Amino acid sequence: MSTEPLLAESRRRLQRLSSSSSSPSSDMGYENGMVHEDVLDAYRDDHDADLVTATEARSLSRGLGQRHLSMIAIAGAVGTGLFLGLGGAIQTAGPLGALLGYAIVGLIVCAVTFALGEVAALLPVTGSFVRHAEFLVDPALGFAVGWNLVYGAALSIPSELTAICVLFTFWTEDVHPAAYIMSFITLTFIVGIAFVRVFGEVEFVFALLKVLLIVFLIIFDIIVAAGGIPGIPATGFKYWRDPGPFVEHIASGNWGRFLGFWSVLASAVFSFAGVESIAMPAAELRNPARAIPRACKRVFIRVLLFYMLAIFVVGLLVASDDDRLNDSSGTAAQSPFVIAASAAGISAIPSVVNAVVITSAWSSSNQTLLSGTRVLYALALKGQAPRVFLRTTSWGTPYACVLFYTAFMFLSFLSLDSSALTVFWYLVDLTAASVLVSWITVLVNHIRLKLAVTKQGIPVSRLPWHNWWSYYSSVLALIMCIIILLTGGFEVFTAGNWSASGFISAYLDIPLVLGAYLIFKYIKKTRIASLKSIPLDDAIIQAEQYPDDPQEKSDGWKRAVSWIWD
């Protein structure tokens, strides 16, 4: 099917809407880095806010750059799961079982980030894959996933603040937890309401601290494993031989070793949680068509490298049957890095790890607040949330959305009462599977984009970013995500292991999302968009007409460290 008539009509529409000025920027509806509102209003009217809207261009500020986006992605993916959670994976599956589990999920993350990058480079809208789902699949899917994310974020932020209180008990229990809660509610609100660049700089610093610590710990643990510390014998692959590379879990023999490996997949998914939110503030990015693909490519390599090396060296230094892995304090005491370093007698490492884990928890709450507010703002743009959430400050922050989430932060005070805390964690468990739901949505969006491009006869070279193999990787990753989603709670169905909370966290999010999808579909009578009807020509023209600014290279001392994000 030829797309020339469609493209010609879209160009004529743009020319009619553009200024009569003879300058190229005016002809394209683009001047001084800002999109003319008449052009964007036309897109909004034509596509019901599927493309970048006048509201976004007018009300939000493009305050995030390449280095912010790259480091935000690192900050989101390298968190408490890496510093505290690897020990549990080794205990359950053994050093090789845990390594294979994280490697498989790492490949899934690769597919997800590339799929998200390709779609977001074409559609750099606020709300990212939530809006992509409405454009490429069905408005009902965007509604269901969007409100699932809003609900999850509203409960995830207070849960992170509660975790911070637990982490501080590693040093002292003399300070009342309410003081920590109130302090971090205030700090989180300040970062959330400030200019988006403030958030970017805070996350940049936190991510840099994480990178420096994990690099130090990996190098230090390799030295310890090799016998480089005087008086400490080399361990080598000692623990791979005894107790062995795999651990039997629930069952015995090879089946039990396989179940141990499989149980790591679900925990590994949540360790990587956060990478899917990389494009949430796309409308607030400078040069999104370049920044998003770069962040997806480079950040994935660094995150995967950190995780693979980290779990490898921890498996060399900590035995899977080490009793210290049973520590459930939630502080640095349970970190396998701390356990590994204890043999070297360096007393400062536990405190350093605990301090960075605190920044990780707060960083996670900041990033969840950013993602949640942008999704809520995007839902309001589509008329699926009250329009009051479109209100922004003069510096471009959706303050009504921030105030909405700030109110939920006070749920963290439930941690001061044991019975209330039990109810609170049940509420949090309702969306524990939302990470996989989000990944599935990202992959479905990408597959639909690739199929629509083929159906409409549009050359893939016209997409801002594309890879020939990404369609196949998305299909394989989608299959794996569905399998992990359906089997992630298999343990509760085995003899003697039933747990209501385990069942809820593994499966209840599925009917919640399906219910929201079907109810919205029934009320609004929405339909799954046909591949031919998806208006890709307008999206491509918008991307072509508004190119990125020339790239600025780091120079001087910045070049020595800019490899982390550049």
Side-chain angles (χ1 to χ4, degrees):
M1 172 184 174
S2 174
T3 61
E4 285 305 312
L6 294 173
L7 297 178
E9 174 57 30
S10 297
R11 291 192 183 97
R12 284 194 294 271
R13 182 166 55 216
L14 281 169
Q15 289 170 359
R16 287 197 304 268
L17 292 167
S18 64
S19 170
S20 58
S21 169
S22 60
S23 66
S25 61
S26 294
D27 288 341
M28 295 185 296
Y30 190 88
E31 186 174 3
N32 297 325
M34 296 298 294
V35 183
H36 283 175
E37 289 188 10
D38 52 0
V39 175
L40 289 176
D41 276 329
Y43 276 122
R44 179 177 55 188
D45 293 340
D46 289 348
H47 305 298
D48 191 24
D50 285 325
L51 305 186
V52 178
T53 65
T55 303
E56 290 169 277
R58 178 181 63 247
S59 301
L60 302 179
S61 175
R62 293 191 180 272
L64 295 176
Q66 172 70 57
R67 67 182 178 89
H68 299 119
L69 187 64
S70 295
M71 298 303 275
I72 285 171
I74 291 179
V78 178
T80 54
L82 176 64
F83 293 112
L84 302 182
L86 293 186
I90 290 174
Q91 187 180 39
T92 302
L96 181 56
L99 187 63
L100 290 175
Y102 271 84
I104 289 175
V105 175
L107 292 175
I108 294 174
V109 172
C110 177
V112 171
T113 53
F114 273 72
L116 178 61
E118 290 189 18
V119 181
L122 176 64
L123 300 166
V125 294
T126 303
S128 184
F129 58 89
V130 173
R131 297 258 298 278
H132 300 162
E134 300 186 10
F135 182 73
L136 295 166
V137 188
D138 187 342
L141 178 61
F143 172 85
V145 174
W147 276 105
N148 187 56
L149 287 170
V150 169
Y151 171 80
L155 293 177
S156 294
I157 298 172
S159 71
E160 295 290 350
L161 298 179
T162 299
I164 291 173
C165 295
V166 175
L167 289 163
F168 270 104
T169 62
F170 180 77
W171 293 307
T172 178
E173 296 184 4
D174 296 336
V175 180
H176 197 280
Y180 295 128
I181 293 174
M182 199 64 228
S183 297
F184 279 92
I185 286 177
T186 304
L187 290 172
T188 305
F189 171 76
I190 291 172
V191 172
I193 203 69
F195 181 47
V196 72
R197 187 179 179 116
V198 173
F199 165 82
E201 298 296 350
V202 169
E203 291 301 291
F204 179 85
V205 172
F206 284 167
L208 200 56
L209 287 175
K210 294 178 189 179
V211 170
L212 292 175
L213 178 62
I214 195 62
V215 169
F216 165 76
L217 290 174
I218 288 173
I219 294 174
F220 175 77
D221 287 352
I222 290 175
I223 293 173
V224 173
I229 304 295
I232 306 296
T235 58
F237 286 87
K238 171 185 175 182
Y239 298 126
W240 284 54
R241 294 187 295 270
D242 182 26
F246 292 95
V247 171
E248 294 179 351
H249 182 60
I250 297 178
S252 59
N254 289 334
W255 178 240
R257 285 186 279 272
F258 172 78
L259 291 180
F261 149 76
W262 193 260
S263 67
V264 169
L265 294 182
S267 62
V269 165
F270 299 115
S271 293
F272 283 106
V275 295
E276 73 280 359
S277 63
I278 185 174
M280 281 297 180
E284 295 163 89
L285 284 173
R286 295 191 298 271
N287 308 315
R290 181 172 67 236
I292 293 174
R294 280 195 165 196
C296 292
K297 288 187 292 185
R298 289 166 172 76
V299 170
F300 165 75
I301 294 171
R302 286 153 181 76
V303 169
L304 186 59
L305 183 67
F306 293 150
Y307 269 96
M308 292 301 99
L309 279 177
I311 201 165
F312 175 71
V313 298
V314 166
L316 296 178
L317 290 171
V318 181
S320 58
D321 58 357
D322 193 315
D323 291 336
R324 291 172 294 180
L325 292 175
N326 293 319
D327 190 297
S328 58
S329 64
T331 68
Q334 75 178 85
S335 171
F337 294 105
V338 171
I339 295 172
S342 63
I346 301 178
S347 58
I349 285 184
S351 289
V352 172
V353 170
N354 199 65
V356 174
V357 172
I358 287 174
T359 68
S360 296
W362 187 37
S363 168
S364 179
S365 67
N366 288 336
Q367 189 161 351
T368 304
L369 178 62
L370 180 78
S371 299
T373 53
R374 273 49 181 185
V375 169
L376 187 55
Y377 183 89
L379 290 171
L381 276 175
K382 298 288 294 183
Q384 296 170 0
R387 294 192 64 82
V388 66
F389 293 119
L390 291 177
R391 295 184 179 181
T392 59
T393 63
S394 59
W395 53 88
T397 298
Y399 72 86
C401 297
V402 174
L403 291 174
F404 172 83
Y405 282 102
T406 302
F408 279 91
M409 292 182 199
F410 288 91
L411 288 176
S412 52
F413 283 102
L414 292 176
S415 63
L416 304 180
D417 180 82
S418 58
S419 58
L421 184 61
T422 301
V423 175
F424 172 65
W425 284 115
Y426 266 105
L427 293 174
V428 173
D429 285 342
L430 290 176
T431 56
S434 62
V435 175
L436 282 167
V437 172
S438 296
W439 289 6
I440 288 171
T441 305
V442 169
L443 294 166
V444 169
N445 292 342
H446 179 250
I447 292 170
R448 292 274 298 176
L449 172 64
K450 286 300 186 77
L451 291 176
V453 165
T454 302
K455 189 75 171 179
Q456 297 181 24
I458 299 174
V460 292
S461 59
R462 296 195 63 213
L463 296 176
W465 186 47
H466 66 92
N467 300 277
W468 67 268
W469 47 265
S470 59
Y471 171 79
Y472 306 101
S473 65
S474 289
V475 172
L476 291 175
L478 177 62
I479 294 171
M480 283 300 300
C481 283
I482 293 174
I483 293 175
I484 295 173
L485 179 64
L486 297 178
T487 63
F490 75 90
E491 294 180 10
V492 302
F493 299 112
T494 59
N497 291 310
W498 169 256
S499 166
S501 61
F503 176 81
I504 288 172
S505 66
Y507 297 114
L508 199 55
D509 197 48
I510 300 174
L512 286 178
V513 174
L514 285 177
Y517 173 79
L518 294 174
I519 291 172
F520 187 87
K521 194 171 184 65
Y522 174 77
I523 294 175
K524 296 294 184 179
K525 310 298 181 185
T526 65
R527 294 183 179 181
I528 297 176
S530 67
L531 296 177
K532 285 186 177 181
S533 68
I534 299 173
L536 291 180
D537 60 304
D538 287 339
I540 292 173
I541 287 175
Q542 188 182 57
E544 291 174 342
Q545 298 286 9
Y546 311 138
D548 287 345
D549 297 330
Q551 181 180 358
E552 295 181 2
K553 298 274 187 183
S554 299
D555 54 13
W557 65 269
K558 291 182 181 179
R559 295 187 64 180
V561 295
S562 62
W563 62 271
I564 299 175
W565 63 82
D566 229 355

